[in-house]
């Protein structure tokens, strides 16, 4: 087993090696010195999404949304609240479907808001529609629980 966990910085997208014995919640980026976890989802474009999916050893939960979507705007504060509970076990990302339509299509998103949980670069769970923070947390933890 590796003695390091790879965590992508939500601020500068640098990949960091966090020692296994160090609490990830208090880790800082070696490049920009910002906290690796700040209880906020990271807004990403297509390149940032790819970097987080490929570079993180932790699961990635992405909210595919659009600014014109009323339900997406309703769910935004709930997704933000879920970040405080799910980090540092999960990296939360916000992907604007209008700015990254190719990524949304590759992920098979047919309606928004859409939540996709990825582990090891593969989608392991998906859900469409508005969910409150407690349901986002429970759904994510349930999908990551060993079978």
């Amino acid at each position: 087993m590796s003695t390091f966990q790879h965590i992508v910085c939500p601020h500068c997208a640098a990949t960091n090696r966090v020692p296994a014995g160090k609490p990830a919640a208090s880790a800082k980026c070696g490049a920009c010195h910002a906290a690796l976890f700040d209880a906020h989802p990271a807004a990403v474009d297509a390149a940032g999404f790819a970097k987080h999916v490929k570079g993180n050893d932790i699961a990635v939960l992405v909210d595919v949304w659009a600014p014109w979507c009323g339900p997406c705007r309703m769910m935004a504060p709930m997704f933000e609240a879920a970040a405080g509970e799910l980090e540092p076990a999960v990296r939360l990302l916000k992907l604007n479907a209008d700015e990254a339509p190719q990524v949304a299509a590759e992920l098979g998103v047919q309606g928004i808001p859409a939540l996709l949980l990825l582990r090891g670069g593969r989608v392991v769970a998906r859900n469409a529609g508005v969910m409150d923070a407690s349901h986002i947390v429970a759904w994510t933890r349930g999908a990551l629980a060993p079978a």
Side-chain angles (χ1 to χ4, degrees), residues 5-12 14-19 22-38 88 91:
Q5 189 173 41
H6 293 96
I7 306 291
V8 177
C9 177
H11 307 286
C12 72
T15 301
N16 293 266
R17 292 185 329 157
V18 178
K22 181 178 181 174
S26 62
K28 296 201 180 293
C29 177
C32 73
H33 308 292
L36 290 179
F37 296 99
D38 58 6
R91 168 68 69 212

Side-chain angles (χ1 to χ4, degrees), residues 3 12 19 31 37 40 45 53 55 62 77 79-80 94 97 102-103 106 111 116 122 138 147:
T3 58
C12 72
F37 296 99
H40 299 287
D45 58 9
V53 169
V62 61
F79 192 68
E80 179 101 11
K94 301 265 306 167
Q102 180 81 21
V103 176
E106 289 171 3
L116 293 100
R122 297 179 52 210

Side-chain angles (χ1 to χ4, degrees), residues 2-109:
S2 175
T3 58
F4 291 96
Q5 189 173 41
H6 293 96
I7 306 291
V8 177
C9 177
H11 307 286
C12 72
T15 301
N16 293 266
R17 292 185 329 157
V18 178
K22 181 178 181 174
S26 62
K28 296 201 180 293
C29 177
C32 73
H33 308 292
L36 290 179
F37 296 99
D38 58 6
H40 299 287
V44 294
D45 58 9
F49 175 78
K51 176 83 174 176
H52 278 277
V53 169
K54 292 177 185 168
N56 274 312
D57 287 338
I58 59 174
V60 174
L61 178 61
V62 61
D63 173 19
V64 182
W65 70 287
W68 51 262
C69 169
C72 297
R73 289 194 319 269
M74 276 180 31
M75 193 171 82
M78 295 178 260
F79 192 68
E80 179 101 11
E85 292 191 49
L86 292 170
E87 288 183 353
V90 179
R91 168 68 69 212
L92 279 76
L93 304 176
K94 301 265 306 167
L95 180 73
N96 184 331
D98 289 345
E99 295 175 358
Q102 180 81 21
V103 176
E106 289 171 3
L107 292 170
V109 173

